[in-house]
Amino acid sequence: MEKANWSSPVVGFILLGLSAHPRLEKTFFVLILSMYLVILLGNGVLILVTILDSRLHTPMYFFLGNLSFLDICYTTSSIPLVLDGFLTPRKTISFSGCAMQMFLSFAMGATECVLLGMMAFDRYVAICNPLRYPVVMSRSVYVSMAVSSWTIGGAASVVHTSLTIQLPFCRNNVINHLACEILAVLKLACVDISINVISMGVTNVIFLGVPVLFISVSYVFIIATILRIPSAEGRKKAFSTCSAHLTVVVIFYGTLFFMYRKPKSKDPLGADKEDLSDKLIPLFYGVVTPMLNPVIYSLRNKDVKAAVRNLVAQKYFTQ
């Protein structure tokens, strides 16, 4: 019987989404669509100004442009499907489409973890070794750092996506989630997934633990250096160059750890609410952070604000 089930591979999946809560679907459609449009606009403007304004052709803004592009890719890999699912009960997705979405979502998330660490190193060199900054963070170096971030994230995603799609699902193709998320798909497997679980644990250490440790150590040295600056104005100016990145790091990792450390309810009556929160928390995590990033860098960075004003002024006067 087991072999018979395995001989009929799954060719597609059904996404339950919020089909159990139909009253919420239209509300969340409008809300998530609005947030997605803000993400596209805000991050698109940041990418544009970092390319067009020569004053922003520095390592920090190069990384910021990469972060904005990454956020657009990350949300675009899942949000359109989620929005379609709000309007289409029990949305279906092909096996290859699901695999592609798993790959893109995981790759973008892993890449952002590494990229935030690279940005912390950039701030460390700029504040702790300002005289050597042009040499240490030359164009070839910071471009290589960005490429490495994308490559490492993509490689990790290839490994986990490959391990997942090779599993037999025994005709069980109903995903109780809003999108094709690796952990949700793994629950459908009808074989032992110990290898997948172990590899996910190792990956979490590499892409969560190591960057957090590296960023923390970097900011210990950064703060120690800032505190040794004699003038209050100098300390304020130095801290302003890394405050936006620090804020993004706190939001990104804070919400991530909250999401994975959320305790499971032991009350059977609360299972429905827990199931809903398990879907909505990752969804909002996936849109809130990319939406806030351009806002944070715009509000806390004079150069970005000036570049945006210049871009708007040029657009206005050319018309």
Side-chain angles (χ1 to χ4, degrees):
M1 178 66 67
E2 203 169 339
K3 290 184 179 179
N5 285 338
W6 288 15
S7 64
S8 301
V10 170
V11 296
F13 293 98
I14 297 174
L15 299 169
L16 290 184
L18 297 180
S19 56
H21 307 274
R23 294 182 179 179
L24 298 177
E25 291 183 318
K26 299 299 186 292
T27 301
F28 279 110
F29 175 84
V30 175
L31 179 61
I32 299 302
L33 176 61
S34 301
M35 297 173 74
Y36 180 54
L37 293 177
V38 171
I39 290 170
L40 296 179
L41 177 62
N43 287 284
V45 169
L46 269 183
I47 293 172
L48 202 58
V49 297
T50 56
I51 293 175
L52 298 180
D53 197 312
S54 59
R55 294 172 300 178
L56 302 185
H57 292 174
T58 64
M60 182 175 75
Y61 297 112
F62 177 77
F63 287 130
L64 177 57
N66 273 262
L67 182 64
S68 295
F69 180 68
L70 191 152
D71 284 338
I72 290 176
C73 293
Y74 179 72
T75 52
T76 302
S77 69
S78 59
I79 296 304
L81 179 67
V82 171
L83 292 173
D84 188 24
F86 287 148
L87 301 178
T88 309
R90 297 175 68 86
K91 170 70 179 178
T92 59
I93 182 173
S94 66
F95 187 88
S96 58
C98 185
M100 180 58 68
Q101 187 184 45
M102 285 191 292
F103 167 76
L104 291 174
S105 297
F106 195 99
M108 298 304 106
T111 300
E112 184 157 356
C113 290
V114 179
L115 188 63
L116 288 175
M118 299 293 189
M119 295 173 74
F121 177 75
D122 170 70
R123 292 300 83 207
Y124 163 77
V125 177
I127 293 176
C128 299
N129 296 283
L131 297 179
R132 298 187 59 197
Y133 183 73
V135 177
V136 176
M137 295 300 296
S138 63
R139 179 175 177 80
S140 60
V141 171
Y142 67 74
V143 170
S144 298
M145 290 169 66
V147 171
S148 298
S149 300
W150 287 90
T151 303
I152 293 171
S157 184
V158 167
V159 172
H160 287 288
T161 304
S162 299
L163 288 174
T164 302
I165 63 176
Q166 291 176 9
L167 295 171
F169 298 105
C170 303
R171 298 179 181 172
N172 185 8
N173 68 336
V174 179
I175 301 176
N176 188 22
H177 209 274
L178 295 167
C180 281
E181 200 265 341
I182 287 184
L183 294 179
V185 175
L186 285 176
K187 294 179 181 179
L188 305 182
C190 54
V191 293
D192 181 49
I193 57 172
S194 299
I195 294 178
N196 301 77
V197 173
I198 293 173
S199 62
M200 286 292 290
V202 172
T203 301
N204 286 340
V205 172
I206 295 174
F207 287 94
L208 294 179
V210 173
V212 166
L213 179 62
F214 181 79
I215 293 170
S216 300
V217 172
S218 298
Y219 272 99
V220 167
F221 285 105
I222 289 173
I223 293 173
T225 301
I226 291 176
L227 293 177
R228 288 198 296 267
I229 298 176
S231 66
E233 185 64 26
R235 289 194 296 270
K236 182 179 178 181
K237 183 178 180 180
F239 185 73
S240 66
T241 63
C242 59
S243 60
H245 173 258
L246 184 59
T247 303
V248 169
V249 166
V250 170
I251 293 174
F252 179 80
Y253 284 106
T255 53
L256 194 62
F257 283 126
F258 168 79
M259 183 172 66
Y260 282 104
R261 289 182 62 88
K262 185 176 68 66
K264 298 293 183 181
S265 173
K266 295 182 179 180
D267 182 8
L269 297 177
D272 186 58
K273 292 182 178 179
E274 182 177 290
D275 176 68
L276 180 62
S277 66
D278 286 343
K279 296 177 182 179
L280 294 181
I281 290 177
L283 173 62
F284 279 99
Y285 165 77
V287 294
V288 170
T289 304
M291 185 180 68
L292 290 179
N293 284 351
V295 176
I296 293 170
Y297 275 100
S298 298
L299 292 178
R300 304 181 71 88
N301 191 295
K302 294 180 180 179
D303 293 334
V304 173
K305 286 191 288 187
V308 172
R309 283 197 297 267
N310 290 339
L311 180 64
V312 173
Q314 290 176 7
K315 179 84 173 169
Y316 175 77
F317 285 117
T318 54
Q319 292 178 346

